């Protein structure tokens, strides 16, 4: 059966420090919400579903916007995820107090910077190609062959090429690589490279350190949000992957923003990074092969569809608001009707564009025949395809993956209803590199939310 699923599965498979002090009151609230004896709708609304951990960092080119509080209040302010909130947390282009970080710039910005130092625009293009193209992927001025000697000297004095430091590469039994990068503030992010025997290799990049969404099935969500990544830190993940692994795994052709973090919560830097990745003179990824995923931040989703040519994936995972409110707390702000209605409206004006719906299958929670039938109705009128994803277990989770036979039955119901649907196999799970397994939660973790009464039997002894 597994071999049959492997043949039928879609090729685009992806995964997926010391913490500042937090108040005693917040610790008490976290402990309270870790216990899951019962559920009522009134009490659920009082539960704080998110954890955002403020981490001070020096920004030399622009001051950071106001950081969210580390305390967990009884009533969560969902306006933190409205358009524009939190988007300027990480926009610095300065490095070490004096050098400019080149990978944080678009080509237009790089050209202006080069000209400001007295050099021709042509030199900027040559530099751009050596950073992102021509199989060079330069990490140092010494690797800039063919450039003017004085220009190289200026770059060595004024510019920094690297935003990340390689910490470790872990190789899974199926060939998936999990790359751990250290940031300049000591934090660590994870990137995954997924080879495919059909000639398509995907790099899964992170957009944040941790994540504020607190999806209950996701290990990264247990971390809370530490900070956004800069555009340079996002782009460099793809550059590093090509530089280090192209010879081993073949050309890296696809990028998915499905690593650590909610990409649209960091929309400014994500759109900028994606624009750099698809530049025709640089990394040259096709916009159709760069996919940005979201849990459903509706205002940012609309902005993304207007400003970016890249593909969109929406992590759906439930067919009712009751279930999605529980397993994906952002649904309390942006309900299914609003999310899907927005997609239906926005995609009317986009030609030959399909959204990818991701559906993590949780045994006894969202995998019934009724769920499949509701899903068919929910996506009607939306040009889309659906990926059914096996849940990848991790420490502390009480969910169980839907059995393969049930996934196939669920897929068949969707296909019978006219949906384009694929099964997506887990990759790299023996190295915690699969979807929903990235990151390393610390002592302070986002709360586990109360389980609706009707699902307590389903989670059984796993709770």
């Amino acid at each position: 059966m597994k071999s049959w699923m492997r043949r039928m599965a879609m090729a685009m498979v992806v995964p997926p420090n010391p913490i500042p002090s937090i108040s005693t009151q917040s610790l008490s609230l976290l402990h309270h919400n870790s216990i899951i004896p019962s559920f009522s709708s009134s009490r659920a609304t009082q539960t704080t579903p998110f954890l955002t951990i403020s981490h001070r960092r020096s920004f030399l080119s622009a001051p950071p916007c106001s950081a969210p509080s580390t305390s967990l209040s009884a009533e969560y302010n969902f306006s933190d995820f409205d358009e524009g909130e939190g988007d300027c947390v990480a926009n610095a282009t300065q490095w070490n107090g004096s050098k400019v970080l080149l990978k944080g710039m678009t080509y237009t910005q790089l050209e202006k910077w080069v000209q400001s130092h007295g050099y021709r625009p042509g030199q900027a293009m040559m530099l751009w190609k050596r950073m992102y193209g021509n199989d060079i992927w330069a990490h140092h001025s010494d690797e800039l062959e063919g450039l003017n000697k004085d220009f190289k000297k200026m770059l060595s004095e004024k510019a920094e090429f690297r935003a990340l430091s390689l910490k470790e590469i872990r190789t899974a039994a199926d060939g998936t690589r999990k790359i751990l990068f250290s940031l300049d503030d000591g934090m660590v992010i994870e990137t995954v490279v997924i080879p495919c025997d059909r000639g398509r290799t995907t790099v899964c990049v992170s957009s944040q350190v941790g994540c504020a969404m607190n999806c209950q099935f996701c290990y990264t969500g247990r971390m809370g949000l530490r900070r956004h990544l800069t555009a340079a830190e996002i782009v460099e993940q793809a550059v590093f992957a090509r530089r280090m692994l192209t010879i081993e795994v073949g050309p890296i052709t696809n990028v998915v923003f499905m690593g650590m973090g909610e990409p649209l919560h960091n929309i400014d830097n994500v759109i900028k990074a994606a624009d750099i990745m698809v530049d025709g003179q640089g990394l040259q990824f096709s916009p159709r092969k760069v996919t940005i995923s979201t849990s459903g931040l509706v205002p940012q989703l609309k902005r993304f569809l207007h400003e970016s040519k890249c593909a969109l994936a929406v992590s759906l995972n439930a067919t009712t608001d009751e279930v999605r409110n529980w397993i994906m707390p952002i649904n309390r702000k942006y309900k299914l009707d609003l999310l899907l209605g927005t997609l239906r409206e926005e995609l009317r004006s986009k030609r030959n564009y399909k959204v990818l719906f991701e559906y993590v299958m949780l045994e006894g929670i969202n995998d019934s025949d009724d769920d499949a039938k509701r899903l068919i109705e929910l996506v009607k009128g939306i040009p889309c395809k659906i990926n059914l994803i096996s849940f990848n277990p991790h420490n502390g989770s009480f969910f169980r993956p839907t059995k393969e036979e049930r996934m196939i039955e669920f897929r068949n119901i969707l296909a019978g209803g006219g949906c384009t649907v694929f099964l997506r196999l887990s990759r790299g799970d023996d190295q915690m590199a699969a979807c929903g397994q990235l990151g390393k939660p610390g002592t302070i973790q986002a709360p586990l939310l109360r389980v609706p009464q009707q699902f307590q039997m389903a989670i059984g002894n796993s709770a």
Side-chain angles (χ1 to χ4, degrees):
M1 182 65 70
K2 288 186 177 181
S3 61
W4 184 86
M5 284 185 67
R6 186 169 289 106
R7 290 195 300 269
M8 295 300 293
M10 185 179 183
M12 192 188 76
V13 291
V14 300
N17 303 315
I19 302 178
S21 61
I22 193 165
S23 67
T24 303
Q25 179 183 4
S26 300
L27 279 171
S28 174
L29 183 59
L30 277 170
H31 178 74
H32 170 77
N33 284 293
S34 296
I35 309 302
I36 318 176
S38 62
F39 174 87
S40 70
S41 59
S42 60
R43 295 185 69 179
T45 58
Q46 296 174 358
T47 301
T48 302
F50 301 93
L51 175 61
T52 304
I53 298 173
S54 176
H55 184 92
R56 289 191 176 183
R57 186 165 183 254
S58 175
F59 291 83
L60 300 172
S61 64
C65 60
S66 56
S69 170
T70 58
S71 64
L72 293 171
S73 61
E75 291 293 335
Y76 185 78
N77 181 9
F78 281 96
S79 66
D80 285 352
F81 302 109
D82 286 337
E83 180 66 56
E85 288 294 328
D87 292 338
C88 59
V89 172
N91 289 314
T93 57
Q94 294 294 120
W95 187 266
N96 294 333
S98 60
K99 291 190 174 184
V100 169
L101 185 54
L102 297 179
K103 291 195 178 75
M105 303 182 189
T106 63
Y107 177 71
T108 300
Q109 292 171 332
L110 180 67
E111 186 179 66
K112 290 179 179 178
W113 181 80
V114 167
Q115 287 182 285
S116 74
H117 286 80
Y119 295 93
R120 296 178 291 104
Q123 294 278 35
M125 178 55 71
M126 294 174 70
L127 173 59
W128 184 265
K129 289 184 176 181
R130 280 152 182 78
M131 288 196 300
Y132 298 125
N134 298 338
D135 296 336
I136 298 174
W137 307 303
H139 275 172
H140 193 273
S141 59
D142 292 343
E143 298 173 338
L144 302 175
E145 295 183 7
L147 292 192
N148 178 286
K149 182 178 179 180
D150 291 338
F151 185 45
K152 288 174 62 176
K153 183 175 184 297
M154 184 276 291
L155 291 172
S156 68
E157 295 173 350
K158 303 289 186 182
E160 175 61 51
F161 288 78
R162 295 175 60 166
L164 306 173
S165 297
L166 177 64
K167 182 178 181 182
E168 184 181 357
I169 300 179
R170 300 173 184 170
T171 302
D174 61 13
T176 298
R177 271 75 162 179
K178 181 162 82 167
I179 310 170
L180 280 67
F181 292 110
S182 295
L183 309 179
D184 70 296
D185 54 12
M187 294 188 180
V188 176
I189 59 169
E190 298 179 2
T191 305
V192 180
V193 176
I194 309 107
C196 177
D197 57 11
R198 291 195 289 271
R200 177 175 64 184
T201 296
T202 299
V203 58
C204 176
V205 301
S206 295
S207 56
Q208 296 175 313
V209 185
C211 183
M213 299 298 105
N214 195 20
C215 296
Q216 297 291 282
F217 50 83
C218 180
Y219 195 52
T220 308
R222 308 296 304 131
M223 296 176 64
L225 175 63
R226 311 293 176 83
R227 72 168 174 88
H228 296 332
L229 297 184
T230 64
E233 290 165 337
I234 298 170
V235 170
E236 182 122 323
Q237 295 173 66
V239 173
F240 249 111
R242 278 192 169 174
R243 180 182 172 103
M244 291 187 299
L245 297 175
T246 293
I247 294 177
E248 293 183 35
V249 302
I252 294 175
T253 58
N254 292 57
V255 182
V256 291
F257 285 66
M258 299 180 185
M260 297 167 65
E262 161 57 59
L264 296 191
H265 190 197
N266 185 18
I267 187 168
D268 286 342
N269 290 312
V270 164
I271 287 180
K272 185 176 184 180
D275 286 347
I276 293 171
M277 290 177 183
V278 302
D279 187 275
Q281 298 296 328
L283 290 171
Q284 298 182 6
F285 286 106
S286 166
R288 290 175 178 264
K289 296 183 178 181
V290 176
T291 303
I292 283 76
S293 179
T294 181
S295 59
L297 301 182
V298 171
Q300 290 90 332
L301 182 151
K302 292 174 67 174
R303 177 182 162 190
F304 172 81
L305 289 172
H306 290 177
E307 295 184 16
S308 179
K309 296 179 181 178
C310 295
L312 175 69
V314 174
S315 189
L316 200 59
N317 307 318
T319 61
T320 67
D321 282 326
E322 180 183 18
V323 175
R324 202 165 190 267
N325 285 350
W326 164 39
I327 65 174
M328 299 184 70
I330 195 62
N331 195 75
R332 303 178 187 187
K333 170 77 172 180
Y334 304 114
K335 303 290 188 184
L336 280 169
D337 282 349
L338 176 62
L339 172 62
L340 298 173
T342 299
L343 285 169
R344 199 170 282 111
E345 180 66 27
E346 293 293 331
L347 294 185
R348 286 178 183 172
S349 59
K350 295 180 77 74
R351 299 182 60 186
N352 301 319
Y353 192 100
K354 289 186 177 182
V355 64
L356 172 66
F357 285 115
E358 301 166 294
Y359 197 91
V360 177
M361 300 199 67
L362 308 171
E363 186 177 54
I365 306 298
N366 64 358
D367 61 353
S368 69
D369 285 358
D370 286 341
D371 282 305
K373 293 171 184 176
R374 281 193 294 266
L375 185 53
I376 293 170
E377 294 302 313
L378 285 174
V379 303
K380 275 187 177 178
I382 303 174
C384 68
K385 51 189 177 182
I386 301 170
N387 271 3
L388 301 181
I389 305 166
S390 179
F391 168 69
N392 297 299
H394 50 77
N395 185 39
S397 171
F398 46 72
F399 295 111
R400 293 189 292 258
T402 296
K403 293 178 176 59
E404 292 181 0
E405 293 79 4
R406 179 60 198 151
M407 288 183 69
I408 293 171
E409 293 170 356
F410 195 93
R411 189 277 311 272
N412 290 344
I413 294 174
L414 296 180
C419 296
T420 301
V421 57
F422 303 91
L423 302 178
R424 198 173 82 184
L425 300 177
S426 294
R427 296 290 303 273
D429 54 340
D430 59 318
Q431 290 294 334
M432 288 292 286
C435 181
Q437 290 185 327
L438 302 187
K440 186 177 181 180
T443 305
I444 308 303
Q445 297 185 9
L448 293 175
L449 305 184
R450 297 182 184 276
V451 180
Q453 185 68 41
Q454 65 268 37
F455 296 116
Q456 291 192 12
M457 185 70 69
I459 64 174
N461 295 329
S462 297

